[in-house]
Amino acid sequence: GHDAGDRILRALGGLLTDVLRKRDLAARPGGEEFVVYLPGLHRDAAWQVGERLRIAAEDRLSTADRTVTLSVGVAPRLPGASFSALLKAADRAVYRAKESGRNRVEIAAMAEIEGYDHPERTAASSITALSKPHREKGYSAARLFNKTGEGGNAVVLYVRL
């Protein structure tokens, strides 16, 4: 039911805290999804983080009544790409993961990211559930994204139950 789903979402938030580095940013834009910003990581390292999250969720959050699975999309930062473009590309990768049987990590193709360089609005503005340490420091997803500098290594993970 609804209460069980809420417990799983809270547990997944705790799992993100356990698996991610202190400098990473996790947010819940709504529903059964989380966005994770990984500054300083390359695509393959981010894929490994997604795999660790996926495996840990299944191992630690599943019960006798329900198996918890994650579908994860990875989008690496490219020069000129906006945060919104990365988020959209990672979201498309999540849909590919779901269409390919769920419970897997998919990496966005470069063409998916380059095609979204001119978003109408910044997706970061719709992400309000930043982690407490980041909120206390006045960070936003867009501010952290801009801190890495143009062409800096960074990756967005889109995680869906």
Side-chain angles (χ1 to χ4, degrees):
H2 187 68
D3 290 341
D6 285 345
R7 280 193 298 274
I8 290 171
L9 289 170
R10 282 193 301 277
L12 180 54
L15 181 69
L16 288 167
T17 300
D18 292 346
V19 172
L20 299 175
R21 304 168 300 172
K22 289 186 189 280
R23 67 190 271 187
D24 298 334
L25 173 67
R28 183 173 167 226
E32 296 181 338
E33 53 198 36
F34 289 82
V35 174
V36 180
Y37 180 62
L38 304 169
L41 286 188
H42 291 280
R43 181 191 74 176
D44 294 339
W47 182 87
Q48 291 174 351
V49 170
E51 272 294 294
R52 281 198 313 270
L53 283 170
R54 187 189 64 74
I55 292 166
E58 189 169 9
D59 290 347
R60 292 170 45 183
L61 305 181
S62 293
T63 65
D65 299 332
R66 181 175 181 169
T67 300
V68 175
T69 63
L70 298 181
S71 297
V72 180
V74 176
R77 183 174 190 179
L78 297 175
S82 67
F83 184 82
S84 181
L86 292 184
L87 193 59
K88 288 177 184 179
D91 186 42
R92 285 182 176 201
V94 166
Y95 278 104
R96 261 199 322 280
K98 286 186 169 287
E99 291 170 356
S100 299
R102 300 178 178 262
N103 201 29
R104 56 187 295 139
V105 180
E106 289 285 334
I107 298 174
M110 290 177 69
E112 290 177 297
I113 298 166
E114 293 169 342
Y116 293 100
D117 274 353
H118 305 294
E120 291 182 15
R121 69 180 187 89
T122 304
S125 66
S126 66
I127 299 173
T128 57
L130 299 177
S131 64
K132 186 175 179 181
H134 288 104
R135 282 195 316 267
E136 289 172 351
K137 293 178 183 175
Y139 285 131
S140 67
R143 180 174 172 205
L144 287 176
F145 181 77
N146 291 330
K147 273 182 70 170
T148 62
E150 190 65 34
N153 295 322
V155 180
V156 172
L157 297 183
Y158 209 100
V159 180
R160 285 209 173 131
L161 286 171

